[in-house]
Amino acid sequence: MKQCDLLIKNCSILTPDFQIRKDCSVAVSDTRICQVGDARTVNAEWQGKEVIEAEGNLLMPGFVDGHTHTCQQLLRGRTADEYPMIWTRFLVPFESSLSPEDVRASARLHCVEMIKAGITSFADAGGVHMEEVAEAAVETGMRAAICPSTMDMGNVVCGEMKRSTQDCIRVTEELHKGYQGAGNGRVDIWFGIRQLMTCSRELIEKIVEKAEELDTGIHMHLCEHKDEVSYCLQNYGLRPAEFMEEMGALSPRLLTAHNVLLTEKDITLLAKWGVHPIFCPMANFINHGFPKIPSFLERGLVPGIGCDGASHIALDLFTQVRALKAGVMAFWGLPVFDPVALPNRTLLEMMTLGGARALRHEDELGTIEEGKKADLILMDVKGPHMYPSQRPVNTLVSAGNSHDVLHTIIDGKVVMKNRRLVYLDEEQIIAQAAEHMESVICRSGI
């Protein structure tokens, strides 16, 4: 009998074509999946140092939050039901007042919430003191793509949020040198473009050049709101996607968040260059509008999903995809009587493989296959809201929630077991975050 580090016995699995296969077992060794197959066969061949008896529950790839802000965990509840401009009234005073200790406390809490929601990887669009976010990812066991919040112009004058062009590049290069590959390869350091209204031509050119030199990604907000589109048309005579193409910035290393105010031509440009779009449904619908999901899918672009941070909603991708489904059906499906404008299996792909593509780890994450990294979650699918079901995939999307996640496994390591964190003191992390929130409120004046 062969030895493995972890044996997950007698589970159902979400297959790479996003169907559910029953009576399976999965063996994991050295951070990777070494066998997926019929339960009787795998159980007979492997003996695990650690065994999880799944009892028929569903094993899935870990979810990927493709766009978030870990520093905004301490802003929870503050930005809902507020008039514009939230950016100048809340985000700038808040983020610019954060100390390294605040960022560390916020990031630790953010990672804890993600682990408990089945999110095993995230892409952070950036803030200040991002070395603390990298440290938190290493400590908590998360997988992450992290970048500083990069801007060299605009009316932002607070703290370290705006720097010179040279300092923007320097800070990212130093972060890359210090943390690229940290946590056994779980941490990637990217370049960030906060938004086109706060980044000069020179900065964008240098970011594109340096990202290619270091073979890393670029994370940016794109076509989030009309002011950005208006700014580009007035200053460059081009829409944002067209301007980014002119700058040589459109490529498979680019992750774009929100993607709301895109024309059909814009979407064609993103598809042509292999850009990875991420949608944040709750933030988009409340503040910006309806992204053209069917147009992306028609061009072969299966986006990822992001929560956009916890300032206005919990970090729960089930909530996000259900909102996306409802919004797309109401805005695009019903007017033309198309009941499959956004199928449930596509939503599952967006939560997993779509995000893995955006993080440039499609070959290692996003599906349960032999040789891939063991970033996995086990879902309880036996509750009265889930079982029995005539079509389990549909029920998973329409009724599943983050509290159904029983176990979370990252890089082959069980970090949550039976809803309890294995290596972290959850109560202490929450209490420390609460203390830091109070001090930030005083300092920021919000």
Side-chain angles (χ1 to χ4, degrees), residues 121-378:
S121 302
F122 67 94
D124 192 325
V128 296
H129 312 301
M130 293 305 289
E131 67 281 355
E132 300 296 336
V133 179
E135 291 282 359
V138 172
E139 176 193 358
T140 59
M142 288 293 297
R143 193 180 302 279
I146 296 166
C147 62
S149 179
T150 307
M151 56 183 78
D152 64 344
M153 64 181 199
N155 60 358
V156 178
V157 295
C158 302
E160 298 182 18
M161 289 191 68
K162 185 170 74 171
R163 300 181 175 96
S164 69
T165 305
Q166 294 74 22
D167 281 346
C168 285
I169 299 299
R170 176 186 56 79
V171 166
T172 305
E173 287 184 313
E174 289 177 355
L175 190 66
H176 188 277
K177 183 177 180 180
Y179 289 98
Q180 174 61 33
N184 194 35
R186 288 182 284 105
V187 174
D188 290 318
I189 303 302
W190 287 22
F191 283 85
I193 299 173
R194 187 71 182 235
Q195 57 177 307
L196 293 182
M197 292 183 291
T198 58
C199 294
S200 67
R201 276 182 176 269
E202 181 186 2
L203 178 57
I204 295 171
E205 287 173 351
K206 291 296 293 183
I207 284 173
V208 172
E209 174 189 328
K210 288 292 183 179
E212 186 171 348
E213 177 185 318
L214 296 175
D215 190 23
T216 193
I218 303 170
H219 192 150
M220 73 174 297
H221 297 76
L222 181 70
C223 288
E224 185 177 3
H225 48 76
K226 59 181 176 56
D227 291 346
E228 174 192 345
V229 179
S230 177
Y231 175 87
C232 283
L233 289 171
Q234 291 182 51
N235 288 275
Y236 306 127
L238 298 167
R239 295 181 60 82
E242 296 171 327
F243 173 67
M244 290 298 285
E245 183 185 42
E246 181 179 88
M247 298 294 292
L250 298 186
S251 78
R253 68 177 74 253
L254 179 65
L255 181 160
T256 58
H258 297 294
N259 307 283
V260 177
L261 298 176
L262 293 169
T263 65
E264 295 294 321
K265 180 181 177 183
D266 294 336
I267 297 171
T268 298
L269 277 180
L270 299 189
K272 170 187 173 183
W273 290 102
V275 172
H276 297 292
I278 299 290
F279 295 117
C280 304
M282 296 294 290
N284 290 345
F285 293 164
I286 292 170
N287 296 304
H288 308 302
F290 292 83
K292 299 178 178 179
I293 299 286
S295 295
F296 283 85
L297 298 179
E298 287 169 6
R299 289 161 175 80
L301 280 175
V302 179
I305 293 287
C307 292
D308 199 25
S311 68
H312 63 287
I313 195 168
L315 307 178
D316 184 344
L317 291 191
F318 282 108
T319 301
Q320 297 290 342
V321 297
R322 277 199 283 276
L324 185 61
K325 175 93 172 185
V328 168
M329 288 306 302
F331 200 78
W332 301 101
L334 287 178
V336 295
F337 195 64
D338 181 6
V340 290
L342 184 53
N344 284 327
R345 59 175 289 180
T346 302
L347 291 170
L348 289 175
E349 183 176 355
M350 294 170 73
M351 296 167 76
T352 54
L353 188 57
R357 292 189 190 105
L359 267 62
R360 308 178 75 221
H361 287 307
E362 178 184 357
D363 294 340
E364 296 208 308
L365 305 173
T367 56
I368 300 176
E369 296 181 84
E370 293 173 7
K372 283 199 168 186
K373 285 285 189 178
D375 285 18
L376 307 166
I377 60 174
L378 190 71

